[in-house]
Amino acid sequence: MELNAKRKTILLIIAIAGFVIGRLLVRFILNLLLGGTMFGGNFL
C-alpha cells in the first residue's frame, strides 16, 4: 500500500473514532445536566 493511502486510511479511522467519542461525550454531559441515565432506564 502506498504511504499516502495508508495515511488517509489511518486519518479516516481516527476521524470516525473521534466522531463517535464526541457524540458519546456530548450525550454524557447532557445526561449529567438533565439528571438522566446514560443508557436509559433504571439501574435499580
Side-chain angles (χ1 to χ4, degrees), residues 13-40:
I13 291 170
I14 291 174
I16 291 172
F19 178 74
V20 170
I21 291 172
R23 291 285 305 237
L24 280 176
L25 193 65
V26 167
R27 189 171 162 190
F28 177 70
I29 292 171
L30 284 176
N31 273 314
L32 281 179
L33 288 175
L34 297 175
T37 58
M38 185 66 181
F39 300 106

